[in-house]
Amino acid sequence: QASQEELKAAYRRLCMLYHPDKHRDPELKTQAERLFNLVHQAYEVLSDPQTRAIYDIYGRRGLEMEGWEVVERKRTPAEIREEFERLQREREERRLQQRTNPKGTISVGIDATDLFDRYEEEYEDVPGSSFPQIEINKMHISQSIEAPLTATDTAILSGNLSTQNGNGGGSINLALRRVTSAKGWGELEFGAGDLQGPLFGLKIFRNLTPRCFITTNCALQFSSRGIRPGLTTVLARNLDKNTMGYLQWRWGIQSAMNTSIVRDTKTSHFTVALQLGIPHSFMMVSYQHKFQDEDQTRVKGSVKAGFFGTIVEYGAERKISRHSVLGATVSVGVPQGVSLKIKLNRASQTYFFPVHLTDQLLPSAVFYATVGPLVIYFAMHRLVIRPYLRAQKERELEKQRESTASDILQKKQEAEAAVRLMQESVRRIIEAEEARMGLIVVNAWYGKFVNDNSRKNEKVKVIDVTVPLQCLVKDSKLILTEASKAGLPGFYDPCVGEEKSLKVLYQFRGVLHQVMAADNEALRIPKQSHRIDADG
């Protein structure tokens, strides 16, 4: 985004710094010639609008292609960018053709009521009755994949298997979805199963206004009892920036009307819903608080009351790795009893383990359902998850270091050569700044700093950049833009893939100042806020 004037000013300054005629030492002269040529090549590329556009889009590879195979020379920068965007769209379409977007759910229901609801008198003479019996009483597996046919048509194949107490069945469905316009799409569904007959369905989505949409789903289920029609319609509207309102009408086997309001913000998620229907009518209120931490921790609670009874749920979820989220919810209800629900989301796969603890409201079951998962999680996180993530990060960093080792070595040699060539210029700059009581860089370090006691075992990786930073001082000012400082003259990356900072101790008007800036943070000195108090 630099202007032509800024490019010319930077080019002149670096030419004066690296010009071979300014260095008599043969070794310094050779190093100056190499850096001077690099600066000249960079300016040739960036001063020409066409080559600059090609470099911005394709990098050095675009400039090295013979015969300008990438793009015609007569094109303007705007045309070059349009061409690049067209090629990007084509690549996205090819990538879309290869994408199946698999989604799956595995649910394993566990009956652990024998832990709390035991009948000692009845089983006291049975061998092995002293051990609680924990059983898997139901399972459910579902999977779906998408197969893009064209840019607007997609085929979706899904299937599921379920079993409960020794009885079960399954079904398979095929859906064909077509995007008809930017405002809507339609979907045809065909299905069959061993417990139920063929299924034919039609689903339509349509944006009525920029803030309102409607979804309609009608189905015909064929069975030995005849044809069972069903219809579901959902009308939704944006009430404000973070709030949605829904109206749902369902007609068929379980007819009902439902209305709900959902408010989702950066720190919270709130839902209130009311349903009137056969056989269930209920009212539900839920709240979820989102902590703004690295692990994206969330705590939630809900109350649901209706003809079936009352259920109170509370729980939490937390990100345990880049693609995995672990959650646990305690459900306490009348007459449902106490259950613990554990859920693991791994990318697009969901693993769900509902554990039914008791049919009664026992305080001991509520206590163990609440405390048990917390103790197990913190123990696993400290002993297993955290060491595993640390080792995985180290492996990724090591792989990145190996792949960039030769480039970093070259950058290091260029930076060291640049520092040697800067010595004379820096000496003159310091003399001029001392004469006017201006800006003098006392010490400057760039790299990875460790100030947190929890990371005291990590190694500090910094380089001394006092000379190259002083060389950038002009008229008692130092201005760095929002870009990685590893690209500055005399700098290189001392710790690839890790967070870096720049720490500067400088003197201005005879007073010491100190500042630390993140790698991509803009920096402007001197500033009054950087001043070091004499008492401190």
Side-chain angles (χ1 to χ4, degrees), residues 80-131:
I80 292 172
R81 294 184 185 277
E82 289 177 4
E83 176 72 8
F84 174 71
E85 291 173 358
R86 185 186 67 80
L87 294 173
Q88 280 284 80
R89 286 195 297 270
E90 290 182 357
R91 278 196 292 269
E92 284 297 324
E93 288 181 2
R94 287 195 297 269
R95 203 173 293 140
L96 183 67
Q97 300 296 328
Q98 301 170 354
R99 188 182 302 158
T100 59
N101 194 23
K103 297 179 182 178
T105 300
I106 297 177
S107 177
V108 179
I110 301 173
D111 183 358
T113 55
D114 205 33
L115 290 172
F116 298 95
D117 299 338
R118 289 180 58 80
Y119 299 91
E120 299 293 345
E121 298 84 359
E122 185 177 348
Y123 294 101
E124 61 182 2
D125 297 328
V126 179
S129 62
S130 58
F131 297 98

Side-chain angles (χ1 to χ4, degrees), residues 361-414:
L361 291 183
L362 298 179
S364 58
V366 176
F367 174 80
Y368 286 112
T370 305
V371 177
L374 289 174
V375 173
I376 294 173
Y377 169 76
F378 284 112
M380 291 288 291
H381 188 266
R382 187 174 185 84
L383 301 176
V384 179
I385 297 175
R386 189 185 296 174
Y388 171 77
L389 294 178
R390 190 182 299 120
Q392 186 182 45
K393 184 178 180 181
E394 284 297 324
R395 286 195 299 269
E396 291 176 355
L397 287 175
E398 190 61 34
K399 188 182 295 184
Q400 190 175 357
R401 292 189 195 105
E402 291 176 358
S403 63
T404 59
S406 58
D407 290 339
I408 294 299
L409 180 60
Q410 181 181 349
K411 294 291 184 184
K412 180 181 179 181
Q413 292 172 348
E414 291 176 0

Side-chain angles (χ1 to χ4, degrees), residues 211 238-244 263-265:
R211 300 181 60 184
N238 277 100
L239 303 180
D240 62 31
K241 180 181 177 182
N242 300 307
T243 309
M244 288 287 295
R263 180 169 178 80
D264 191 13
T265 66

Side-chain angles (χ1 to χ4, degrees), residues 417-477:
V419 170
R420 287 193 291 270
L421 296 171
M422 291 175 183
Q423 297 291 343
E424 184 61 28
S425 296
V426 168
R427 185 184 62 79
R428 291 195 298 269
I429 292 172
I430 291 176
E431 288 177 355
E433 293 296 326
E434 285 179 340
R436 64 164 71 108
M437 292 285 288
L439 176 58
I440 299 174
V441 179
V442 180
N443 286 113
W445 302 271
Y446 173 67
K448 176 184 175 182
F449 296 86
V450 180
N451 300 320
D452 190 352
N453 290 331
S454 63
R455 301 165 56 197
K456 60 184 178 182
N457 294 328
E458 297 183 25
K459 185 178 179 182
V460 177
K461 303 172 185 176
V462 297
I463 56 174
D464 189 335
V465 291
T466 306
V467 171
L469 212 59
Q470 182 71 65
C471 195
L472 295 173
V473 174
K474 184 179 180 181
D475 298 330
S476 298
K477 293 179 183 179

